[in-house]
Amino acid sequence: MENINEEIVKALDGDDGRLYPYIPYLLQDLWDIGTNPQTVIGLLKDNNIAIGKDTRVLDLGCGKGAVSVQLAKAFGVSVYGIDAMGAFIQEAIAKADEYGVSELCQFEVKDIRDVVQEGKLYDIVIFGAVSPTIVYGNYQDAISSLTKCIKPGGNLILDDGYIEDDSDYQDSRVCKYSELMGLFSSNGFTCIEERYETETVDLNEYYTERIRIRANELSAEYPEQAELFMGYVESQEQECDILANKLVCATWLFKYV
Ligand SMILES: C[S@@+](CC[C@H](N)C(=O)[O-])C[C@H]1O[C@@H](n2cnc3c(N)ncnc32)[C@H](O)[C@@H]1O
């Protein structure tokens, strides 16, 4: 298992663990660093998922809490968000305060692999833009681990990419659509709805521009590390290209039976 700091950098599309201490600075202009919170809210509302004061929501790899905080605001539901990056958790706590939902949100610095093993079961589990293969090495281990923290009859929200069945593109981080759906089905998940974003490309380009500005600032301050910072901008650009041209990104609502 690689070092958790390297894993976090990879989950944020970087390829050099030395970037870890600079990630909060580089991503300071972005709150939602993965899943679109409105998509999650829409999936739950439009499919009449019962959410009340006793509903327990777990947001695994919650980043800066964009999904957790907006879910708490939209539904008045309690959310437990965990992420391995302390700086993101601090920001999530501040955002919950800003949105007036501190009472509903609990954020902690934890590793996903530990939290799923704690033996607590949640009604709704969110695994948003946290690459399953980066955290677990492969999809089967990731999906079977998720079953350990979802109540029977509960729901999973997954935001991830896949390769079209008829594509010859290869990428060890993702699998083909039918393989992905087959793995969920064989682990007890039924797909209720899958949703596609329409503005992903524009948004990713905007995010990359913000990161470029911050990388330039860091390069001016630490010229000896300019290559490291500009390398991160390059990996963001490559990732945008892959997302736009090679992969399909979707957000799924599954029921765990
Ligand atoms: C692309 S971000 C997505 C954040 C959030 N889910 C969202 O959609 O806004 C991926 C997150 O996964 C977190 N992460 C990666 N590996 C982790 C692990 N083993 N345990 C906890 N968090 C992890 C990273 O720190 C990062 O915040």
Side-chain angles (χ1 to χ4, degrees):
M1 184 67 61
E2 64 194 325
N3 170 307
I4 182 91
N5 295 357
E6 281 175 22
E7 183 186 302
I8 292 171
V9 171
K10 268 196 191 167
L12 294 160
D13 304 324
D15 57 8
D16 191 325
R18 290 177 301 156
L19 281 163
Y20 177 77
Y22 303 102
I23 288 288
Y25 191 92
L26 288 161
L27 300 184
Q28 66 182 284
D29 304 311
L30 320 175
W31 182 27
D32 43 340
I33 52 173
T35 303
N36 181 344
Q38 294 312 319
T39 301
V40 176
I41 292 168
L43 277 169
L44 295 170
K45 274 194 176 155
D46 298 347
N47 290 287
N48 301 315
I49 301 301
I51 301 182
K53 66 176 175 35
D54 296 327
T55 306
R56 292 163 61 100
V57 181
L58 172 65
D59 188 358
L60 290 166
C62 66
K64 302 180 183 187
V67 172
S68 295
V69 168
Q70 290 177 74
L71 268 190
K73 188 82 189 167
F75 294 102
V77 69
S78 297
V79 182
Y80 177 40
I82 64 100
D83 198 281
M85 179 158 261
F88 288 174
I89 288 296
Q90 287 313 315
E91 218 170 315
I93 291 168
K95 280 287 184 187
D97 188 36
E98 184 187 323
Y99 275 65
V101 290
S102 290
E103 300 281 297
L104 296 171
C105 295
Q106 185 192 358
F107 290 110
E108 284 185 322
V109 182
K110 285 199 177 180
D111 190 313
I112 292 167
R113 289 163 293 223
D114 297 333
V115 174
V116 298
Q117 305 274 13
E118 280 171 358
K120 290 191 194 132
L121 297 180
Y122 295 82
D123 301 284
I124 299 170
V125 173
I126 300 162
F127 203 62
V130 183
S131 171
T133 49
I134 291 176
V135 180
Y136 281 97
N138 63 72
Y139 274 99
Q140 173 51 37
D141 287 354
I143 298 169
S144 66
S145 291
L146 290 171
T147 64
K148 298 196 176 98
C149 62
I150 306 181
K151 282 184 190 166
N155 295 100
L156 169 70
I157 299 264
L158 172 83
D159 171 14
D160 200 12
Y162 65 81
I163 301 170
E164 298 265 31
D165 284 345
D166 59 2
S167 163
D168 48 22
Y169 176 68
Q170 297 201 344
D171 187 329
S172 60
R173 299 170 303 171
V174 281
C175 58
K176 294 213 165 184
Y177 180 78
S178 52
E179 192 189 340
L180 187 63
M181 291 302 112
L183 281 168
F184 274 101
S185 166
S186 62
N187 281 279
F189 291 94
T190 308
C191 178
I192 299 177
E193 191 188 334
E194 73 188 4
R195 250 179 217 194
Y196 296 90
E197 300 292 339
T198 48
E199 290 164 12
T200 308
V201 174
D202 291 346
L203 204 60
N204 284 343
E205 280 171 7
Y206 167 75
Y207 285 177
T208 305
E209 277 322 298
R210 297 310 308 171
I211 294 168
R212 187 192 309 281
I213 290 167
R214 298 304 178 182
N216 281 332
E217 290 170 359
L218 283 174
S219 299
E221 200 173 341
Y222 308 104
E224 69 289 354
Q225 298 208 75
E227 213 175 304
L228 176 68
F229 306 133
M230 299 326 287
Y232 188 55
V233 179
E234 263 171 49
S235 13
Q236 292 293 324
E237 283 169 339
Q238 278 163 14
E239 195 57 25
C240 284
D241 181 52
I242 291 171
L243 292 176
N245 301 307
K246 307 285 188 201
L247 301 184
V248 183
C249 293
T251 309
W252 289 270
L253 172 66
F254 289 101
K255 186 176 174 84
Y256 179 52
V257 279

